[in-house]
Amino acid sequence: MKYALLSIAVSILAGIAPVQAEVRADVKAGDKALHDGAFSEAAGLYTQAIKSGHLDGAALTGVYVKRGDTYREQGLYDQATSDFSTALKLNPKLAEALNGRALVFAKKGLYDRAISDYGSALELKPDLAFAYTNMGRVYYYQGEFSKAAERFESRLKIKPPHVYPMLWLYLARARTGQDPKAELAGYIKSAKKGHWIYEAAQLYLGKVTPEQVLESARNGKRGEQREREAEAYFYIGQYFLVSGDKKTAIAYFRKVIGTGVKRFYEYTGAEVELKRLAGAR
């Protein structure tokens, strides 16, 4: 009898192993699809993995967060919020889930809830670099430029430094009436070169023209031109806004909206700036 039970157990384990391997393959394929921007495909693969019943613990919470990211990228905010909240029920101390849910709240204009989640995420994981940048953007959207600058500055203390928070820090400083060119020039020295967005920093430093920024954006990887143009239009619009040319700034912010790349921070930023400029008339 003992050997019969052992044989049954071995048979069960042998049957489980291929299923678990298939689930791991689904998650891996989902990760690749997410990386490649195939968000709907990634969501489907993650859903298969979740429904398999062969995920638990950190693996399960991680897949919920990843699927939440795919839903957010598709603009499916209710589904995204549900997945991030489910992950937090499974693990209340998962900073990445808090950051993900905060991103959704920010896209929906629920800024106080976004800031609360970002704050909780940073309490749990003080070195979560992008949470500082994301929180800074929310303060920027609210017009609280000094608070925004503090968060961008905090991000830049975490290695490696990144050009995007450098740009947002420059803009936040400029909106408080400062001249942050020297500060930006100092940060840029330690920035990784080669990415086209580096040209936006050069624009703010007076070393290139808006046309050159656009040219650099359009010369990058095929299939991503619209996304790069959305970013370029936004940072060029900010260049003109900071320079006092509101009319040209508005034209560029409208170009951002025209790209339809709603998932980008710059798209949200353009929406906010257009509302601010309309209200200032």
Side-chain angles (χ1 to χ4, degrees):
M1 183 66 177
K2 177 174 66 175
Y3 296 111
L5 290 173
L6 180 60
S7 177
I8 291 170
V10 170
S11 297
I12 291 172
L13 289 172
I16 290 172
V19 176
Q20 290 177 329
E22 186 176 336
V23 172
R24 287 195 295 271
D26 282 341
V27 174
K28 186 175 181 180
D31 292 346
K32 184 179 185 306
L34 176 59
H35 180 268
D36 294 342
F39 304 122
S40 180
E41 178 186 346
L45 289 162
Y46 292 142
T47 297
Q48 285 179 200
I50 290 169
K51 287 184 175 180
S52 74
H54 288 276
L55 290 175
D56 57 18
L60 181 59
T61 55
V63 172
Y64 271 115
V65 170
K66 290 174 181 178
R67 191 175 69 171
D69 286 335
T70 71
Y71 286 146
R72 174 175 52 79
E73 295 284 12
Q74 295 175 80
L76 302 173
Y77 298 135
D78 290 342
Q79 292 96 314
T81 301
S82 177
D83 270 6
F84 292 129
S85 295
T86 298
L88 288 165
K89 286 177 183 177
L90 295 169
N91 180 1
K93 295 185 177 181
L94 191 60
E96 289 78 7
L98 286 161
N99 180 76
R101 191 170 68 178
L103 283 166
V104 177
F105 288 150
K107 289 297 290 186
K108 295 176 74 173
L110 303 173
Y111 297 141
D112 289 342
R113 295 179 71 178
I115 287 170
S116 176
D117 269 4
Y118 285 135
S120 296
L122 288 167
E123 285 178 12
L124 292 166
K125 199 169 184 179
D127 62 346
L128 193 62
F130 42 78
Y132 285 109
T133 306
N134 295 337
M135 184 187 273
R137 289 190 181 106
V138 173
Y139 279 127
Y140 192 96
Y141 299 156
Q142 290 182 303
E144 297 190 51
F145 301 117
S146 293
K147 288 184 178 179
E150 289 175 11
R151 272 58 183 192
F152 298 134
E153 195 169 14
S154 294
R155 162 59 188 93
L156 291 169
K157 291 177 182 177
I158 301 171
K159 303 296 182 183
H162 201 280
V163 175
Y164 284 100
M166 293 178 194
L167 295 175
W168 285 85
L169 175 59
Y170 172 89
L171 295 171
R173 297 267 201 239
R175 297 297 282 273
T176 61
Q178 300 178 53
D179 182 359
K181 287 189 178 65
E183 182 183 39
L184 177 60
Y187 278 124
I188 284 296
K189 288 179 182 178
S190 61
K192 183 179 179 181
K193 309 300 188 295
H195 193 287
W196 78 267
I197 199 64
Y198 178 79
E199 291 299 298
Q202 298 296 83
L203 173 65
Y204 295 159
L205 295 175
K207 296 182 178 181
V208 300
T209 65
E211 291 74 22
Q212 287 174 305
V213 174
L214 271 173
E215 182 181 358
S216 181
R218 289 167 175 161
N219 285 339
K221 186 177 177 182
R222 275 189 169 186
E224 298 178 0
Q225 183 171 317
R226 190 164 53 109
E227 285 81 1
R228 292 194 304 274
E229 283 183 344
E231 292 181 303
Y233 291 144
F234 175 76
Y235 293 112
I236 293 170
Q238 291 289 357
Y239 166 78
F240 283 110
L241 183 60
V242 169
S243 301
D245 187 347
K246 293 181 180 179
K247 184 177 179 180
T248 305
I250 288 171
Y252 274 101
F253 292 141
R254 285 176 176 164
K255 285 178 180 288
V256 179
I257 304 304
T259 66
V261 186
K262 295 182 180 181
R263 61 190 179 89
F264 274 23
Y265 306 110
E266 290 80 5
Y267 186 99
T268 305
E271 288 183 316
V272 168
E273 295 293 15
L274 287 170
K275 288 178 183 177
R276 261 202 283 258
L277 289 163
R281 290 176 182 175

